Amino acid sequence: MSESRPAEQFLDASIGLLTRIRDEETGNIAAAGTLLADTVAAGGRLFAFGAGHSGLAAQDVVYRAGGLALMNLLSVPGTVGIDVMPATLGSALERVDGLAAAVLEASPARSGDALIIISLSGRNALPVEMALSARAAGIKVIGVTSLSYATGPDAPTSRHASGSYLRDHCDVVLDSKIAIGDAELTHEGVDTPFAPASTVTASALMQATLATCAATLADRGIQPPLLRSGNVDGGLEWNARVFEEYGDRIYYRR
């Protein structure tokens, strides 16, 4: 890497990853968006889950202007972002067996719903168990993960008792294209790679999937339940109508 312009290097790396997603994941994104559209059309609810920094991409699509009003956050206490002290506790909880099943059972998610699970490595007990439990309950699962972590001689081993990864228990898998370690840059004098891009690609996959869902619903003659910004004229009134119509499938207002 050049000694100058690390910002440009990172942006170029991110653009390269997004280009790969555009070129290689179009079919999977279409399948994921169609799965969500099928769920909405059938009266189902939508949920998103991610632990640690993977949770950022899940939170990004909940109660979001321009986003689907039906997307709810499936929250596992202590693992949402880095909202606990010490922050390392969240990482430890990702390796606890039984936690995901208990949370899912206590959640409003049920058969006929859809759940997007975001996990960069897809190797920890929490996301694997979440996917297993969801599918056993009749919930469709979309996984957003990096397949690099589950394939090849350098792939880390699964931390789930089954030895499997998130990708093994999904109806649709979206590959975030992130290399093992999630660090795009190196620099002379810096002892370890740095500059993670997993949030960039995971968020892009999420937004592309939801955009596909909205367009698919419209193509079927169904008005997609989208939110508007509360900072534009009429936005709050628009959202109030959406909340009233779809209130039985929205949980972040309760």
Side-chain angles (χ1 to χ4, degrees):
M1 169 183 153
S2 169
E3 290 186 357
S4 63
R5 305 209 307 268
E8 288 89 339
Q9 294 279 347
F10 176 75
L11 292 171
D12 286 344
S14 298
I15 291 169
L17 289 166
L18 293 174
T19 299
R20 286 188 60 199
I21 287 173
R22 181 197 64 196
D23 294 344
E24 300 170 15
E25 293 298 306
T26 300
N28 293 328
I29 292 169
T34 300
L35 187 156
L36 295 185
D38 291 343
T39 302
V40 172
R45 288 82 55 81
L46 309 180
F47 296 87
F49 164 75
H53 288 94
S54 290
L56 296 174
Q59 295 173 62
D60 185 53
V61 296
V62 177
Y63 186 47
R64 183 65 188 264
L68 287 171
L70 304 189
M71 185 60 70
N72 300 281
L73 184 67
L74 182 60
S75 176
V76 177
T79 69
V80 180
I82 50 171
D83 63 339
V84 295
M85 290 294 289
T88 51
L89 175 61
S91 297
L93 289 173
E94 289 186 64
R95 300 191 287 272
V96 174
D97 293 327
L99 180 58
V103 168
L104 188 65
E105 184 177 355
S107 79
R110 67 190 184 201
S111 179
D113 293 342
L115 170 62
I116 304 176
I117 300 175
I118 307 164
S119 174
L120 173 59
S121 71
R123 68 184 294 227
N124 286 313
L126 185 59
V128 175
E129 183 183 304
M130 187 71 77
L132 275 165
S133 300
R135 294 185 86 190
I139 299 167
K140 296 293 186 181
V141 175
I142 297 169
V144 179
T145 187
S146 171
L147 295 184
S148 296
Y149 280 83
T151 58
D154 297 326
T157 58
S158 169
R159 289 183 173 132
H160 189 261
S162 67
S164 61
Y165 299 80
L166 170 61
R167 67 154 192 176
D168 299 316
H169 308 289
C170 299
D171 296 279
V172 181
V173 175
L174 303 177
D175 184 4
S176 65
K177 309 299 181 183
I178 298 296
I180 296 171
D182 193 14
E184 293 300 318
L185 304 184
T186 59
H187 191 83
E188 184 177 353
V190 179
D191 292 339
T192 185
F194 59 100
S198 58
T199 304
V200 174
T201 60
S203 291
L205 284 165
M206 293 291 285
Q207 295 295 349
T209 296
L210 296 191
T212 300
C213 173
T216 301
L217 287 169
D219 290 343
R220 297 177 183 179
I222 301 171
Q223 186 64 221
L226 297 169
L227 296 174
R228 288 184 177 178
S229 172
N231 296 313
V232 300
D233 291 342
L236 294 177
E237 292 78 12
W238 172 280
N239 293 342
R241 290 193 296 271
V242 173
F243 291 148
E244 181 177 0
E245 182 175 355
Y246 293 95
D248 61 332
R249 292 194 260 176
I250 296 172
Y251 294 92
Y252 49 81
R253 300 181 68 240
R254 298 180 182 179

